[in-house]
Amino acid sequence: MRFIPIAAAGAAGVLGLAACAYNEDLGRSQFLLVNDAALAQSAQQAWAQTLATSKVSNDRAAQARVQRVAARLVEAAGLGDRSWEYVVFEDPQANAFVLPGGKIGVNTGMLSVVENDDQLAAVIGHELAHSVANHAGERYSQTAATQLALGIGQSALGGRVGAETAKQISAFGGVGAQLGVLLPFSRRHELEADRLGVDFMARAGYRPAEAVKLWRNMQAASTGGRPPQLLSTHPSEATRIAELERYIAGMPARPR
Ligand SMILES: [Zn+2]
């Protein structure tokens, strides 16, 4: 039973860091248990692992294209104050991902789905949006809080579970955080990233309507085979296309 006070103290410590931070880009508050630095450190490990275990494309033109489009979006979105790294991976899966700390990966399979730079900008804008919106931190915090709540509930039942809880809490800074940064985003996060992503596109002078075409292409690419990973963890294509069309229709017209 002596583990219970340790678990409880640990829990209080972790929860003491909890904050509801207002995110201006999203226009809503977020529940955050983890700061950017801690998350970026875990993400750095995950990124190093990805670079070590995946094949980086040696297609220089593809790497340069992603760099160019991403840099233009980053500049337009006012995100040039932090460092970003963009890498094209040799992988037929039509997918892209972002990790906290400014790491963006785009698969060659995704590059074969996009028809133009505007659509590539839609992909990268979406990933940038996840980052700006701190979705990974929010996802991690929600998961950690749930695990913590479950652990505390169990620890009241016996000392052995209490020890387990203590271990779980100490793992939050390491493996837990790594899992946190790699968890798929929720439906709400996906739709938020879609909207913020097209804002970035528009600011950079890309055509937001191409985002809708991109998702239609993804939808087409997914019929007949396994759905692309990006879609399987994402809201239904029909939902996101409809939401995106509605949002773009409401956007102020921009001189081009
Ligand atoms: Zn996403």
Side-chain angles (χ1 to χ4, degrees):
M1 293 298 281
R2 70 191 188 89
F3 286 107
I4 293 174
I6 298 170
V14 173
L15 291 174
L17 301 173
C20 235
Y22 183 74
N23 186 315
E24 240 172 77
D25 290 298
L26 296 180
R28 65 173 176 88
S29 294
Q30 295 182 297
F31 167 68
L32 295 172
L33 281 173
V34 66
N35 63 26
D36 286 354
L39 208 57
Q41 203 180 5
S42 296
Q44 184 62 52
Q45 292 170 18
W47 178 247
Q49 222 164 41
T50 306
L51 286 174
T53 55
S54 314
K55 191 176 184 310
V56 173
S57 167
N58 50 24
D59 182 342
R60 287 188 178 204
Q63 296 285 1
R65 183 185 181 200
V66 167
Q67 299 280 337
R68 175 171 44 80
V69 172
R72 186 166 146 189
L73 284 164
V74 160
E75 194 54 42
L79 301 170
D81 57 339
R82 53 196 104 167
S83 67
W84 293 90
E85 205 176 328
Y86 326 102
V87 172
V88 177
F89 291 97
E90 191 66 51
D91 188 325
Q93 183 90 246
N95 205 4
F97 68 93
V98 65
L99 289 177
K103 318 289 185 197
I104 289 180
V106 179
N107 287 351
T108 46
M110 179 57 97
L111 291 179
S112 53
V113 170
V114 303
E115 296 172 311
N116 51 43
D117 280 0
D118 302 76
Q119 291 183 15
L120 178 57
V123 172
I124 298 171
H126 175 95
E127 300 303 333
L128 283 175
H130 274 311
S131 177
V132 169
N134 203 358
H135 283 158
E138 197 171 29
R139 194 96 178 100
Y140 167 76
S141 303
Q142 286 161 352
T143 307
T146 306
Q147 285 175 350
L148 211 54
L150 287 174
I152 291 164
Q154 286 172 347
S155 71
L157 301 173
R160 290 169 65 97
V161 187
E164 206 41 55
T165 309
K167 237 169 36 189
Q168 239 178 30
I169 289 167
S170 69
F172 279 162
V175 181
Q178 273 192 43
L179 286 176
V181 299
L182 295 172
L183 279 172
F185 294 115
S186 67
R187 187 173 177 280
R188 176 189 192 171
H189 286 168
E190 288 311 327
L191 297 177
E192 271 182 353
D194 280 350
R195 288 194 291 269
L196 206 50
V198 294
D199 284 345
F200 295 161
M201 285 177 76
R203 278 187 236 167
Y206 290 110
R207 294 167 292 166
E210 290 297 313
V212 173
K213 288 192 186 158
L214 167 77
W215 291 112
R216 288 199 197 286
N217 291 347
M218 290 289 283
Q219 193 174 25
S222 72
T223 53
R226 252 183 346 155
Q229 205 182 335
L230 193 72
L231 290 183
S232 63
T233 57
H234 284 56
S236 88
E237 304 92 309
T239 305
R240 88 184 310 160
I241 287 170
E243 295 264 339
L244 210 44
E245 277 181 325
R246 205 158 51 95
Y247 183 72
I248 291 169
M251 283 173 91
R254 282 177 172 269
R256 285 184 51 88

